[in-house]
Amino acid sequence: MKYKIRNLIGILVVIAVLLIPVQSFADRYKGDDVGAPGQFNISVTLSDNEEEGYKNAIISVKNNGNDFSGKVRITFYADYSVSFSAEKTASISSGQTENVVIPVLVPVNFRPNNAKAKVEMVNSSGKTIAFDFVNDIMEQMGYKAGILSDRPGDLISLNGTSIYPPYGDEVTVVTETMTDAKDKDKLSEFSYIIINDYDSSVLSKEEINNIQNWVKNGGMLIIGTGNNEKTLAGFDKDFIDIEVLVDNYDKPVTAEIDYAQFAIDSEDTITYLQLVPGDSYLNTTYYSSSASVPMKTEGKGVVEVAQFSLSDDNFDQTWGMNQLLTDPVSATSKGNQLNGGFPGHNFEDLFGIMQGKGKVNTVLLRIIIVIYVALVGPGLYLVLKALKKREFIWLAIPALSIFFTLIIFLVGRGFSIKTKQFSNITVSEASGKGNTKSLMMGFNAQNKRWGADLSEDIKTAGLIYGEQYGSNGLVMTLVSYTPQGVSISYKPDAAFDAVYFTGISDNTAKGGIEADITLNDSISRISGKVTNNTGVRFDYILVVSDGYYKVIDTKGKTTVDFDEIAEQYTSFDDVFGYAKNEYLNDNFAKAAPLAALAYAASDIKSDSFVVGVTGNGMDCIKGNVSEKTYSCYYTVVN
């Protein structure tokens, strides 16, 4: 009887142990945590965010079931491309419809082919209880153009035009006929506005102001004047400082060569456009030199004026519009959406330079190992024999092993690899205008998902570049927005697999940089004075003036006078190459800030500017992690 009771108790214990995980599983997926079929109606639209390079994913969710509390997540993926996700905390009551707005950034190497977006409803336990796909997401993520014309149907072939901005993959432009420009929210959906052969004076003052402000916030306005002298009449003179000389547009379009003549008031120059009927390209001449059509930057945007009608029979829309749509991208903040100025494939080199080369004192390690082998072998035996204590050898060997293990550990601390490491570059306009942009590189020494909370200053973040290929069901790179702040996480394919994030924060710089620069290009000499009023001490400054540059060691001084032989400057690649040379010469202390200066220079739209860099930069990551930040502050020199 005693054995039967004991066996019964054993059986009950086994059943109880087996039931615990079953019950736990049932508890996790029961009741409100289970998304019933059709519980959520989900739709997604994308609109431009006022921050440079960002879009807002506006996810409309109607909850037809029980109250929901958790996160709404959107994942973008495409064939042969990285995947990236962003999520935001949300609570949606039963029967309610909520718009969840999530900032997103399209990575440099995100190709639009066959791209989709997946929207997931993630409950408080981290389980996806419902999801839906958006198949046409890349049409929204492409560039959208609004057409304002008396004959919009003549431009319908522009729909689907492909453009190839620098460093970016093919981007498709979709078009839509505009009825008016009174709706600011509607205007914000457009990357381009195309006005063609149209009397702009019929637009109201409100519509003109809306279009002009839209341009200053990053829009691209393309105007085909056609044969209408009032095409530009509605706009403020200081906004479009180009005069149409219609008396020179009196030749028939059937002429072998047709000229349209324009005067650009601000520069007192004449630009001629040459149209050759039948040719499949546009040939422009500017005092017999190759040049593009007149283009002027306005705030974050640009205005481009084509001295002809975009619907003329002898204008090749396929090739010609590709050029007219592509050229403005590099002059506006729209270019940052695709490339951030700095080519994604160079990020690995950039942060490699910033980190320097890892050094291991192998000579010292070899000496320690030789001494250990000598002692633990014959040395220890001979010493104990001489002391007539050979019976203690079984204690001496473990003690000696522990001692040398401790020595190797202490020596190794100098080159040990931290679990998570971050290298960051922040770029700010020195007087406090605009925002601060952060570029963050992170990796883990172990092949496992890692995460990090961003500092309170960073309000939006996104993936900017990644080498990892995505899959439909796996969240690889995630930006999470919660009431506690913004966090990032990544699931690498292998240890040391790096990923590159970007962030936007408020610009807290103040004081500015004063610069007085003189360039003597005949002898390649640059001179002047730079005064740093930011309150931050610069390690180096980069001075760029009309095709020449010089890197100057400030030695921590606030005011720097210089008179130096300069080098030719074609792009940030010149400074980046300079940084790589210092890196290859093992001058890491100089190479790292130079690399940061090169990245900062890649995003400045000016021929003359000054950038300063400090190694005591603002932290981008919360918590006790290995982090090195270089902060750059710049000013444009008039």
Side-chain angles (χ1 to χ4, degrees):
M1 183 68 179
K2 181 166 53 177
Y3 293 107
K4 288 183 179 180
I5 295 174
R6 185 183 302 169
N7 291 338
L8 180 59
I9 293 173
I11 293 171
L12 292 174
V13 170
V14 171
I15 292 174
V17 170
L18 292 175
L19 283 177
I20 289 173
V22 173
Q23 182 62 37
S24 176
F25 182 86
D27 288 342
R28 183 176 179 183
Y29 296 106
K30 72 176 183 179
D32 293 344
D33 283 345
V34 178
Q39 178 178 345
F40 301 100
N41 294 337
I42 300 170
S43 62
V44 182
T45 58
L46 294 174
S47 66
D48 284 337
N49 189 301
E50 63 181 9
E51 313 298 353
E52 294 185 0
Y54 279 89
K55 287 183 178 288
N56 278 329
I58 305 173
I59 304 172
S60 177
V61 181
K62 182 180 180 182
N63 185 4
N64 300 314
N66 297 323
D67 292 350
F68 170 82
S69 180
K71 294 178 181 178
V72 178
R73 177 186 300 157
I74 184 167
T75 300
F76 300 87
Y77 57 90
D79 292 348
Y80 313 111
S81 180
V82 296
S83 69
F84 60 105
S85 307
E87 65 182 19
K88 190 172 185 179
T89 302
S91 295
I92 307 173
S93 301
S94 176
Q96 296 298 310
T97 299
E98 297 287 346
N99 286 336
V100 181
V101 181
I102 305 178
V104 295
L105 176 68
V106 184
V108 175
N109 56 340
F110 190 84
R111 297 175 177 86
N113 301 330
N114 301 319
K116 297 179 181 180
K118 180 181 181 181
V119 178
E120 299 172 79
M121 307 300 295
V122 182
N123 66 15
S124 56
S125 301
K127 173 179 168 51
T128 297
I129 61 172
F131 63 89
D132 200 2
F133 288 96
V134 182
N135 293 318
D136 61 348
I137 196 69
M138 289 314 294
E139 290 187 14
Q140 296 187 52
M141 298 195 77
Y143 287 160
K144 188 175 182 181
I147 296 176
L148 196 59
S149 170
D150 288 334
R151 305 188 309 276
D154 293 347
L155 301 176
I156 197 65
S157 62
L158 299 180
N159 199 50
T161 299
S162 296
I163 62 173
Y164 302 85
Y167 307 126
D169 293 303
E170 176 183 348
V171 176
T172 301
V173 177
V174 296
T175 59
E176 180 177 309
T177 301
M178 291 179 59
T179 55
D180 59 53
K182 294 178 181 178
D183 188 345
K184 294 181 182 179
D185 291 335
K186 184 65 177 178
L187 282 181
S188 68
E189 296 178 9
F190 297 118
S191 298
Y192 296 97
I193 292 178
I194 299 173
I195 299 177
N196 184 60
D197 202 6
Y198 180 80
D199 181 1
S200 64
S201 65
V202 303
L203 297 174
S204 67
K205 188 63 177 177
E206 177 188 4
E207 290 175 307
I208 290 292
N209 287 338
N210 287 345
I211 292 175
Q212 293 182 167
N213 290 331
W214 169 84
V215 171
K216 292 174 182 178
N217 287 325
M220 295 177 282
L221 177 62
I222 298 177
I223 300 177
T225 61
N227 211 0
N228 193 328
E229 61 181 303
K230 293 186 177 181
T231 305
L232 308 178
F235 293 96
D236 295 343
K237 189 66 177 176
D238 60 350
F239 180 75
I240 302 180
D241 51 0
I242 299 176
E243 180 183 357
V244 184
L245 305 178
V246 293
D247 56 328
N248 292 317
Y249 198 90
D250 56 0
K251 296 182 180 181
V253 295
T254 55
E256 181 179 357
I257 296 179
D258 190 13
Y259 290 98
Q261 181 175 325
F262 281 68
I264 305 176
D265 294 346
S266 60
E267 297 179 4
D268 194 26
T269 57
I270 305 295
T271 297
Y272 298 97
L273 176 75
Q274 175 178 303
L275 293 178
V276 183
D279 282 0
S280 60
Y281 62 93
L282 292 175
N283 179 25
T284 58
T285 56
Y286 177 70
Y287 289 133
S288 300
S289 299
S290 176
S292 62
V293 296
M295 187 168 65
K296 173 191 175 186
T297 56
E298 278 285 347
K300 297 178 181 179
V302 69
V303 179
E304 185 177 39
V305 179
Q307 308 96 310
F308 50 88
S309 173
L310 304 180
S311 58
D312 277 352
D313 292 338
N314 58 341
F315 172 60
D316 188 311
Q317 287 192 356
T318 302
W319 196 94
M321 281 306 298
N322 181 292
Q323 292 300 107
L324 292 176
L325 294 170
T326 298
D327 289 345
V329 173
S330 60
T332 70
S333 61
K334 298 292 180 185
N336 298 333
Q337 181 178 331
L338 294 172
N339 57 70
F342 202 87
H345 59 269
N346 281 348
F347 284 154
E348 186 174 349
D349 284 348
L350 172 66
F351 285 106
I353 290 173
M354 290 181 63
Q355 289 182 313
K357 296 178 181 177
K359 291 185 177 181
V360 177
N361 196 338
T362 55
V363 175
L364 179 58
L365 281 177
R366 288 169 184 168
I367 293 173
I368 292 173
I369 291 172
V370 168
I371 293 175
Y372 171 73
V373 171
L375 284 177
V376 82
L380 188 59
Y381 173 80
L382 293 175
V383 170
L384 291 176
K385 181 180 179 182
L387 296 174
K388 297 181 180 181
K389 301 287 186 182
R390 284 183 295 178
E391 67 273 14
F392 289 103
I393 195 167
W394 65 276
L395 291 174
I397 290 177
L400 194 65
S401 299
I402 293 172
F403 174 76
F404 274 91
T405 299
L406 180 62
I407 292 295
I408 292 174
F409 171 76
L410 293 174
V411 172
R413 283 179 61 84
F415 53 82
S416 62
I417 298 174
K418 306 294 188 301
T419 302
K420 285 189 295 188
Q421 292 193 40
F422 292 91
S423 295
N424 314 310
I425 302 173
T426 67
V427 182
S428 309
E429 201 278 333
S431 64
K433 298 177 182 177
N435 293 310
T436 292
K437 186 170 80 170
S438 301
L439 177 65
M440 299 169 279
M441 184 279 287
F443 69 87
N444 197 324
Q446 301 176 27
N447 181 15
K448 65 179 183 180
R449 176 172 285 278
W450 56 263
D453 295 326
L454 303 185
S455 70
E456 292 85 351
D457 296 326
I458 297 180
K459 51 190 179 183
T460 56
L463 175 68
I464 191 171
Y465 190 79
E467 293 288 1
Q468 190 178 72
Y469 293 100
S471 64
N472 296 358
L474 182 62
V475 175
M476 317 291 265
T477 308
L478 178 65
V479 176
S480 184
Y481 297 90
T482 69
Q484 289 72 41
V486 186
S487 64
I488 55 177
S489 65
Y490 183 54
K491 174 61 177 74
D493 270 342
F496 300 103
D497 185 10
V499 67
Y500 308 94
F501 288 93
T502 186
I504 293 291
S505 56
D506 291 330
N507 188 349
T508 58
K510 57 183 179 180
I513 299 172
E514 297 178 20
D516 182 13
I517 302 172
T518 301
L519 173 67
N520 189 336
D521 54 1
S522 62
I523 58 174
S524 303
R525 199 164 192 89
I526 193 167
S527 59
K529 176 190 288 187
V530 171
T531 302
N532 171 20
N533 298 319
T534 63
V536 176
R537 292 190 178 275
F538 294 148
D539 302 320
Y540 297 92
I541 58 173
L542 165 65
V543 180
V544 177
S545 180
D546 294 323
Y548 289 87
Y549 83 98
K550 186 66 181 179
V551 174
I552 301 168
D553 185 347
T554 66
K555 304 187 186 309
K557 295 187 293 185
T558 301
T559 300
V560 180
D561 294 286
F562 53 92
D563 184 15
E564 306 277 355
I565 295 294
E567 301 174 64
Q568 282 196 321
Y569 183 84
T570 54
S571 74
F572 66 88
D573 276 326
D574 297 314
V575 183
F576 189 51
Y578 187 11
K580 291 182 74 170
N581 288 335
E582 296 291 345
Y583 172 81
L584 295 174
N585 291 326
D586 292 343
N587 189 0
F588 307 131
K590 186 174 183 180
L594 285 180
L597 285 176
Y599 175 73
S602 71
D603 208 33
I604 301 173
K605 309 297 184 183
S606 175
D607 294 328
S608 300
F609 56 87
V610 175
V611 189
V613 61
T614 175
N616 297 318
M618 61 173 278
D619 288 337
C620 296
I621 311 295
K622 288 181 184 176
N624 184 22
V625 295
S626 178
E627 178 184 12
K628 179 62 177 177
T629 301
Y630 287 90
S631 290
C632 300
Y633 300 85
Y634 72 91
T635 190
V636 172
V637 180
N638 296 322

